[in-house]
Protein backbone atom coordinates (compact mmCIF):
# COMPACT_ATOMS: atom_id res chain seq x y z
CA UNK A 1 0.00 0.00 0.00
CA UNK A 2 1.32 3.44 -0.95
CA UNK A 3 2.38 5.62 1.94
CA UNK A 4 -0.13 8.32 2.72
CA UNK A 5 1.02 11.84 1.82
CA UNK A 6 -0.22 13.72 4.86
CA UNK A 7 1.10 17.06 3.69
CA UNK A 8 -0.92 16.72 0.48
CA UNK A 9 -3.99 15.65 2.49
CA UNK A 10 -3.69 18.75 4.68
CA UNK A 11 -3.29 21.04 1.68
CA UNK A 12 -6.30 19.52 -0.09
CA UNK A 13 -8.36 20.06 3.06
CA UNK A 14 -7.12 23.64 3.27
CA UNK A 15 -7.97 24.21 -0.39
CA UNK A 16 -11.52 23.07 0.25
CA UNK A 17 -12.03 25.00 3.49
CA UNK A 18 -10.36 28.28 2.61
CA UNK A 19 -12.70 28.83 -0.32
CA UNK A 20 -15.87 27.83 1.49
CA UNK A 21 -15.57 30.36 4.31
CA UNK A 22 -13.71 33.52 5.18
CA UNK A 23 -10.10 33.06 6.19
CA UNK A 24 -10.63 34.23 9.77
CA UNK A 25 -13.57 31.86 10.21
CA UNK A 26 -11.43 28.77 9.66
CA UNK A 27 -9.30 27.26 12.41
CA UNK A 28 -6.58 24.65 12.27
CA UNK A 29 -8.99 22.38 14.13
CA UNK A 30 -11.28 22.60 11.11
CA UNK A 31 -8.38 21.58 8.87
CA UNK A 32 -7.50 18.69 11.19
CA UNK A 33 -11.05 17.40 10.98
CA UNK A 34 -11.26 17.80 7.20
CA UNK A 35 -7.87 16.15 6.57
CA UNK A 36 -8.34 13.39 9.17
CA UNK A 37 -4.95 13.99 10.78
CA UNK A 38 -3.75 14.84 14.25
CA UNK A 39 -3.21 18.50 15.04
CA UNK A 40 0.46 17.86 15.75
CA UNK A 41 0.83 16.55 12.22
CA UNK A 42 0.00 19.97 10.77
CA UNK A 43 2.90 21.56 12.64
CA UNK A 44 5.32 19.10 11.04
CA UNK A 45 4.73 20.80 7.72
CA UNK A 46 3.33 24.28 8.42
CA UNK A 47 4.19 26.97 10.97
CA UNK A 48 0.65 28.28 11.30
CA UNK A 49 -2.54 28.91 9.37
CA UNK A 50 -0.98 31.68 7.29
CA UNK A 51 1.87 29.41 6.25
CA UNK A 52 -0.59 26.66 5.35
CA UNK A 53 -2.61 29.04 3.17
CA UNK A 54 0.55 30.38 1.51
CA UNK A 55 2.04 26.96 0.75
CA UNK A 56 -1.26 25.68 -0.59
CA UNK A 57 -1.62 28.69 -2.89
CA UNK A 58 1.96 28.49 -4.21
CA UNK A 59 1.56 24.77 -4.92
CA UNK A 60 -0.67 25.87 -7.80
CA UNK A 61 2.36 27.25 -9.63
CA UNK A 62 4.07 23.85 -9.53
CA UNK A 63 0.96 22.17 -10.95
CA UNK A 64 0.68 24.75 -13.71
CA UNK A 65 4.35 24.44 -14.65
CA UNK A 66 3.88 20.69 -14.99
CA UNK A 67 0.87 21.21 -17.24
CA UNK A 68 2.77 23.67 -19.44
CA UNK A 69 5.64 21.20 -19.78
CA UNK A 70 3.18 18.50 -20.85
CA UNK A 71 1.65 20.79 -23.47
CA UNK A 72 5.06 21.72 -24.85
CA UNK A 73 5.87 18.03 -25.15
CA UNK A 74 2.82 17.37 -27.32
CA UNK A 75 4.73 18.50 -30.40
CA UNK A 76 3.38 20.41 -33.38
CA UNK A 77 4.08 23.94 -34.50
CA UNK A 78 4.09 27.01 -32.33
CA UNK A 79 0.39 27.81 -32.62
CA UNK A 80 -0.59 24.22 -31.78
CA UNK A 81 1.71 24.24 -28.74
CA UNK A 82 0.39 27.61 -27.62
CA UNK A 83 -3.22 26.44 -27.93
CA UNK A 84 -2.40 23.26 -25.99
CA UNK A 85 -0.72 25.38 -23.31
CA UNK A 86 -3.62 27.80 -22.84
CA UNK A 87 -6.08 24.88 -22.89
CA UNK A 88 -4.28 23.12 -20.03
CA UNK A 89 -3.98 26.32 -18.01
CA UNK A 90 -7.64 27.14 -18.59
CA UNK A 91 -8.70 23.63 -17.57
CA UNK A 92 -6.70 24.05 -14.36
CA UNK A 93 -8.48 27.34 -13.63
CA UNK A 94 -11.82 25.61 -14.18
CA UNK A 95 -11.25 22.29 -12.43
CA UNK A 96 -9.18 23.69 -9.58
CA UNK A 97 -11.33 26.76 -9.08
CA UNK A 98 -10.81 26.72 -5.32
CA UNK A 99 -7.04 26.71 -5.65
CA UNK A 100 -7.24 29.33 -8.39
CA UNK A 101 -9.13 31.62 -6.01
CA UNK A 102 -6.52 31.07 -3.31
CA UNK A 103 -3.79 32.01 -5.76
CA UNK A 104 -5.67 35.15 -6.70
CA UNK A 105 -6.09 36.04 -3.04
CA UNK A 106 -2.39 35.60 -2.34
CA UNK A 107 -1.51 37.57 -5.49
CA UNK A 108 -3.50 40.49 -4.10
CA UNK A 109 -1.64 40.23 -0.78
CA UNK A 110 1.80 39.67 -2.32
CA UNK A 111 2.64 43.38 -2.24
CA UNK A 112 2.62 43.25 1.56
CA UNK A 113 4.75 40.11 1.89
CA UNK A 114 8.11 40.51 3.57
CA UNK A 115 11.31 38.48 3.66
CA UNK A 116 11.22 34.84 2.65
CA UNK A 117 7.51 34.85 1.83
CA UNK A 118 7.91 37.65 -0.70
CA UNK A 119 10.92 35.97 -2.30
CA UNK A 120 9.20 32.57 -2.42
CA UNK A 121 6.10 34.01 -4.07
CA UNK A 122 8.17 35.78 -6.71
CA UNK A 123 10.19 32.65 -7.44
CA UNK A 124 7.11 30.48 -7.85
CA UNK A 125 5.40 33.04 -10.05
CA UNK A 126 8.57 33.46 -12.11
CA UNK A 127 8.74 29.69 -12.73
CA UNK A 128 5.32 29.75 -14.38
CA UNK A 129 6.09 32.86 -16.43
CA UNK A 130 9.36 31.30 -17.58
CA UNK A 131 7.62 28.05 -18.57
CA UNK A 132 5.05 29.90 -20.69
CA UNK A 133 7.82 32.15 -22.02
CA UNK A 134 9.64 29.12 -23.44
CA UNK A 135 6.55 28.24 -25.47
CA UNK A 136 6.34 31.81 -26.75
CA UNK A 137 10.04 31.77 -27.61
CA UNK A 138 9.22 29.04 -30.14
CA UNK A 139 6.94 31.58 -31.81
CA UNK A 140 9.80 34.06 -31.95
CA UNK A 141 11.95 31.42 -33.65
CA UNK A 142 9.19 30.84 -36.23
CA UNK A 143 8.82 34.55 -36.89
CA UNK A 144 5.26 34.49 -35.56
CA UNK A 145 6.02 36.58 -32.47
CA UNK A 146 7.84 39.90 -32.34
CA UNK A 147 11.38 39.59 -30.95
CA UNK A 148 11.67 43.11 -29.52
CA UNK A 149 9.53 42.31 -26.45
CA UNK A 150 10.93 39.74 -24.00
CA UNK A 151 9.08 36.42 -24.17
CA UNK A 152 8.50 36.47 -20.41
CA UNK A 153 6.80 39.88 -20.67
CA UNK A 154 4.50 38.47 -23.34
CA UNK A 155 3.91 35.41 -21.14
CA UNK A 156 2.76 37.70 -18.34
CA UNK A 157 0.29 39.36 -20.72
CA UNK A 158 -1.02 35.99 -21.91
CA UNK A 159 -1.51 34.70 -18.36
CA UNK A 160 -3.39 37.91 -17.58
CA UNK A 161 -5.72 37.26 -20.52
CA UNK A 162 -6.41 33.73 -19.26
CA UNK A 163 -7.04 34.93 -15.70
CA UNK A 164 -9.45 37.55 -17.02
CA UNK A 165 -11.24 34.91 -19.08
CA UNK A 166 -11.56 32.59 -16.09
CA UNK A 167 -12.40 35.19 -13.47
CA UNK A 168 -14.07 38.25 -14.98
CA UNK A 169 -15.73 36.92 -18.13
CA UNK A 170 -17.02 33.60 -16.81
CA UNK A 171 -20.66 34.67 -16.59
CA UNK A 172 -20.71 37.82 -18.71
CA UNK A 173 -19.68 36.90 -22.24
CA UNK A 174 -21.22 34.43 -24.68
CA UNK A 175 -19.25 31.16 -24.80
CA UNK A 176 -18.19 31.70 -28.42
CA UNK A 177 -16.45 34.92 -27.41
CA UNK A 178 -14.54 33.10 -24.68
CA UNK A 179 -13.09 30.34 -26.85
CA UNK A 180 -9.44 29.53 -26.31
CA UNK A 181 -8.87 29.76 -30.04
CA UNK A 182 -9.97 33.39 -29.85
CA UNK A 183 -7.60 34.04 -26.94
CA UNK A 184 -4.71 32.61 -28.97
CA UNK A 185 -5.72 34.58 -32.06
CA UNK A 186 -5.95 37.85 -30.15
CA UNK A 187 -2.63 37.20 -28.45
CA UNK A 188 -0.75 36.31 -31.63
CA UNK A 189 -2.14 39.23 -33.61
CA UNK A 190 -1.33 41.63 -30.79
CA UNK A 191 2.11 40.11 -30.28
CA UNK A 192 2.88 39.61 -33.96
CA UNK A 193 5.87 41.25 -35.62
CA UNK A 194 5.59 45.02 -35.71
CA UNK A 195 5.42 46.67 -39.12
CA UNK A 196 8.63 48.43 -40.16
CA UNK A 197 8.41 52.22 -39.70
CA UNK A 198 8.60 52.75 -43.47
CA UNK A 199 5.65 50.43 -44.03
CA UNK A 200 3.66 52.21 -41.35
CA UNK A 201 4.44 55.60 -42.88
CA UNK A 202 3.49 54.38 -46.36
CA UNK A 203 0.22 52.97 -45.06
CA UNK A 204 -0.53 56.24 -43.27
CA UNK A 205 0.25 58.25 -46.40
CA UNK A 206 -2.00 56.02 -48.49
CA UNK A 207 -4.81 56.43 -45.97
CA UNK A 208 -4.46 60.20 -46.08
CA UNK A 209 -4.40 60.17 -49.89
CA UNK A 210 -7.57 58.10 -50.03
CA UNK A 211 -9.25 60.36 -47.51
CA UNK A 212 -8.81 63.50 -49.60
CA UNK A 213 -12.00 64.75 -51.30
Amino acid sequence: MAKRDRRADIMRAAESLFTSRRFHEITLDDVVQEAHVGKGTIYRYFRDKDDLFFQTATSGFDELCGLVAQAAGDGGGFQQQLLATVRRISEFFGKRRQLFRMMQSEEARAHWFRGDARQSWRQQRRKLISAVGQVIQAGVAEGRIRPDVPAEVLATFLLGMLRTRARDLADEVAPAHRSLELVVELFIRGAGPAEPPAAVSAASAESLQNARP
Side-chain angles (χ1 to χ4, degrees), residues 92-110:
F92 172 89
F93 288 164
K95 293 178 180 178
R96 303 298 300 280
R97 187 168 295 277
Q98 294 170 323
L99 184 55
F100 172 57
R101 288 173 180 170
M102 291 180 72
M103 294 172 70
Q104 292 293 289
S105 176
E106 287 297 89
E107 183 74 34
R109 298 199 314 144

Side-chain angles (χ1 to χ4, degrees), residues 21-96:
R21 283 178 272 164
R22 295 178 184 273
F23 180 82
H24 69 271
E25 295 175 341
I26 299 166
T27 67
L28 287 181
D29 287 332
D30 294 326
V31 179
V32 164
Q33 184 175 1
E34 182 77 13
H36 304 291
V37 298
K39 192 166 185 178
T41 304
I42 288 184
Y43 291 107
R44 293 181 192 173
Y45 306 103
F46 310 99
R47 291 190 305 272
D48 50 31
K49 187 172 72 170
D50 284 298
D51 186 45
L52 171 57
F53 189 97
F54 180 85
Q55 289 197 44
T56 302
T58 54
S59 70
F61 289 113
D62 290 328
E63 289 191 44
L64 282 167
C65 285
L67 293 173
V68 172
Q70 290 174 16
D74 288 344
F78 161 66
Q79 189 157 342
Q80 290 76 21
Q81 286 192 20
L82 185 63
L83 181 58
T85 296
V86 301
R87 180 171 288 122
R88 288 177 186 264
I89 293 174
S90 182
E91 287 174 354
F92 172 89
F93 288 164
K95 293 178 180 178
R96 303 298 300 280

Side-chain angles (χ1 to χ4, degrees), residues 187-200:
F187 175 78
I188 291 178
R189 287 190 176 185
E195 290 186 73
V200 174

Side-chain angles (χ1 to χ4, degrees), residues 122-159:
R122 285 181 172 178
Q123 288 177 347
Q124 290 291 88
R125 187 172 183 273
R126 176 60 57 187
K127 283 168 56 178
L128 175 60
I129 292 171
S130 178
V132 177
Q134 290 179 24
V135 177
I136 293 174
Q137 191 62 46
V140 176
E142 286 188 15
R144 301 289 306 280
I145 296 296
R146 58 192 298 169
D148 58 320
V149 180
E152 291 192 356
V153 172
L154 296 175
T156 302
F157 289 149
L158 177 59
L159 288 168

